[in-house]
Amino acid sequence: MTETLAPHAETMAAPEKRLFIKTYGCQMNVYDSERMADVLRPLGYAVTEDVKAADFVILNTCHIREKAAEKIYSELGKLREMRDVRRETGGDMTIAVAGCVAQAEGEEIMRRQPAVDIVVGPQAYHQLPELLTRTARARGERIGADFAPDDKFDALPAARFTEGPTAFLTVQEGCDKFCTFCVVPYTRGAEWSRPMASVLEEARRLAGRGVREVTLLGQNVNAYDGERPDGKKATLAELAYALAEIPGLDRIRYTTSHPNDMADELIAAHGELDALMPYLHLPVQAGSDRILRAMNRKHGRQKYFDLIDRIRAARPDIAIAGDFIVGFPGETDKEFEDTLDLVRRVNYAGAFAFAYSPRPGTPAAGMGKQVEPEVAKERLHRLIALLTEQQTAFNLAQAGRTLNVLFDKPGRHGHRRQAIGRSPYLQSVHVDDADHLIGQIVPVEIVAGQQNSLSGRLIADGLMQPGPAGSAVAQREKAA
């Protein structure tokens, strides 16, 4: 589980109130935190990184990982103490729990931690101004957790206060797959896609603010079927082609995908659309057919292998990433070896791996033959070692290539004028004498690869000018 702060809002003159948002979990939560800051900005809230000075604190939670809720309760205890200290000096602090833990355990949160003022699910954070106003007046209704994503996006302010040349863009929410280990269908609701026009409008505004790369987000983003202007349904491939026509938007990514939703049209787009980056996160979760059936994944290992072959035929240089769960109920040693075999055959450029942990209310939580934690831990260590070996080998293989790098932030070594960017394969690239190029896409000669990053040097006169992402200016980034 990752924890991040919502990006800084643009500085407001003498802000009256301070907002602190702590974000747990996935990129969709990062996007949601940005939008929460947007809806609260008209009320006079400016983002702060000092939680002790905040007038309003939001914990934007994730319910996927083990002990997620208990971690939130521990954090809430610390916030209650901070609020007590502020009240002793005449101040106050409003505390809210948002996100998937709020959706799943709203009433329980209010019962266990009375210090919480507001509980709001992921589909209702556009109601924060109203809920905050009610709380300030009379501590009235404090739970807003209905599933109404269309209402949410309609209610969000048009302006987004983004920083840097990359941005997340939610296009799809919810899940209809009902994997037996997953709480998403219960916390995010059914699959729902934003209308195509709404997505394109937000993308144009982002490009106008200097964003050159967008990552399209969804629980099953490749199930996207937003309404087109003519009333018909659009596919993710159609959306990608439309986004590629926006001037200044040069790179498109998407996450997270489900193997059952990798349509032929989307696979073909990876070979035809230069703006669509050659990096695909396509979780498989396990390598055993029996375990995949128990997970209700609705695909087997051979279908996954065939899918990878078709994707690589369309785009031979594509990097594949995945997700894995080890120690699923009933998993045998042989079935775990099937997962290792799948990993060796696919050869991943990156992956996330976790030991199974029961999520309350999911079918898998009630299954028999739960794997002993120590066994699951040992399997996880073996899987991570193999995945790390593959990722390192992929990075090392980039040495000697020339890759177009989008610089997005300064590096740690300011005395060397270092900047950090992303390769087409989502690798972190460190380059000296490049801090003046933040926001630009520049050819970089890769001189070395490490486990988690690349090192490179600039190629003179190689600046890539902004332009329609699908045009010649965004030519496919191949080896020099």
Side-chain angles (χ1 to χ4, degrees):
M1 178 184 298
T2 59
E3 301 177 7
T4 59
L5 288 174
H8 284 292
E10 288 188 349
T11 303
M12 299 175 62
E16 297 179 358
K17 306 166 209 173
R18 289 153 293 188
L19 169 67
F20 179 91
I21 305 178
K22 188 169 186 177
T23 308
Y24 300 81
C26 67
Q27 291 125 322
M28 291 191 72
N29 271 14
V30 174
Y31 175 90
D32 285 351
S33 291
E34 292 178 3
R35 300 305 267 152
M36 280 187 251
D38 289 338
V39 300
L40 292 168
R41 191 169 289 107
L43 275 67
Y45 283 93
V47 174
T48 179
E49 293 186 11
D50 183 0
V51 62
K52 294 181 180 180
D55 302 291
F56 188 18
V57 175
I58 303 173
L59 302 183
N60 190 14
T61 62
C62 175
H63 203 264
I64 298 298
R65 303 299 169 220
E66 184 178 9
K67 299 180 181 177
E70 292 305 316
K71 189 170 186 178
I72 299 305
Y73 289 122
S74 174
E75 195 74 20
L76 289 172
K78 298 174 185 176
L79 290 174
R80 181 189 60 196
E81 294 175 1
M82 292 180 195
R83 185 171 73 177
D84 290 344
V85 171
R86 294 201 67 189
R87 285 178 172 176
E88 291 174 1
T89 59
D92 206 345
M93 176 188 289
T94 300
I95 300 172
V97 179
C100 292
V101 173
Q103 182 68 46
E105 304 187 23
E107 296 289 351
E108 179 68 6
I109 290 170
M110 303 299 288
R111 185 189 68 80
R112 285 185 56 177
Q113 184 49 270
V116 175
D117 300 298
I118 297 170
V119 177
V120 57
Q123 307 300 352
Y125 63 73
H126 61 289
Q127 298 174 5
L128 274 171
E130 178 184 354
L131 294 171
L132 186 59
T133 301
R134 290 182 182 180
T135 300
R137 287 176 180 169
R139 304 298 184 192
E141 180 184 348
R142 297 180 289 180
I143 297 179
D146 293 334
F147 291 126
D150 49 345
D151 293 340
K152 177 180 78 173
F153 285 105
D154 287 345
L156 291 175
R160 279 187 62 186
F161 288 82
T162 57
E163 289 186 345
T166 66
F168 294 128
L169 179 54
T170 293
V171 301
Q172 182 271 342
E173 291 199 0
C175 181
D176 295 340
K177 302 298 188 289
F178 288 93
C179 297
T180 56
F181 55 81
C182 185
V183 299
V184 166
Y186 313 103
T187 59
R188 288 272 181 173
E191 290 180 355
W192 179 88
S193 298
R194 291 176 67 183
M196 189 176 183
S198 173
V199 175
L200 294 175
E201 181 182 359
E202 184 170 349
R204 291 187 190 98
R205 288 195 297 266
L206 290 171
R209 295 181 61 85
V211 169
R212 302 191 68 178
E213 174 182 297
V214 293
T215 299
L216 310 180
L217 300 180
Q219 267 83 32
N220 287 310
V221 68
N222 56 340
Y224 175 83
D225 64 350
E227 186 177 17
R228 297 188 328 204
D230 62 5
K232 296 180 180 180
K233 295 292 187 179
T235 64
L236 186 65
E238 288 181 78
L239 179 63
Y241 278 100
L243 288 166
E245 295 302 318
I246 296 176
L249 197 59
D250 294 290
R251 289 181 165 192
I252 302 166
R253 304 183 188 274
Y254 62 92
T255 193
T256 289
S257 305
H258 193 287
N260 290 351
D261 293 317
M262 282 302 299
D264 292 343
E265 182 185 14
L266 184 57
I267 294 173
H270 276 282
E272 299 169 357
L273 186 58
D274 294 322
L276 196 55
M277 291 293 95
Y279 179 90
L280 176 62
H281 185 223
L282 191 63
V284 64
Q285 304 299 355
S288 157
D289 281 332
R290 191 190 72 82
I291 293 297
L292 289 170
R293 287 193 297 271
M295 289 178 167
N296 196 34
R297 290 291 291 174
K298 299 183 176 68
H299 65 79
R301 58 187 276 131
Q302 189 57 53
K303 179 178 179 179
Y304 188 79
F305 288 142
D306 293 344
L307 185 57
I308 294 297
D309 288 344
R310 290 166 54 210
I311 294 167
R312 284 177 168 157
R315 185 71 192 257
D317 68 329
I318 199 165
I320 304 294
D323 287 353
F324 296 90
I325 296 173
V326 302
F328 189 80
E331 182 187 65
T332 65
D333 289 341
K334 170 61 171 62
E335 287 165 340
F336 171 65
E337 291 295 334
D338 288 342
T339 295
L340 294 180
D341 175 70
L342 181 145
V343 170
R344 294 187 185 101
R345 289 177 61 176
V346 173
N347 193 14
Y348 288 89
F352 299 99
F354 307 93
Y356 170 76
S357 60
R359 308 311 302 148
T362 60
M367 290 180 179
K369 299 182 179 179
Q370 297 284 328
V371 175
E372 290 295 325
E374 287 305 312
V375 174
K377 183 177 180 180
E378 187 273 337
R379 290 175 183 172
L380 180 62
H381 286 166
R382 290 176 60 194
L383 176 59
I384 288 176
L386 175 58
L387 292 167
T388 300
E389 178 184 325
Q390 291 185 346
Q391 176 179 309
T392 303
F394 180 76
N395 287 349
L396 291 173
Q398 307 310 309
R401 297 187 66 188
T402 296
L403 301 176
N404 282 342
V405 173
L406 172 57
F407 288 106
D408 58 357
K409 61 184 177 182
R412 290 183 299 172
H413 303 293
H415 64 287
R416 295 180 356 210
R417 298 181 57 206
Q418 187 183 70
I420 299 175
R422 293 287 181 178
S423 78
Y425 309 107
L426 204 60
Q427 299 146 306
S428 179
V429 185
H430 301 76
V431 181
D432 290 343
D433 299 315
D435 59 354
H436 62 296
L437 295 172
I438 291 174
Q440 302 297 334
I441 300 175
V442 181
V444 171
E445 180 184 356
I446 306 302
V447 297
Q450 298 86 35
Q451 177 179 323
N452 296 310
S453 64
L454 308 176
S455 301
R457 58 171 167 251
L458 294 177
I459 296 176
D461 301 324
L463 185 63
M464 176 178 164
Q465 297 299 326
S471 68
V473 77
Q475 295 177 17
R476 180 174 297 171
E477 293 139 314
K478 293 183 177 179

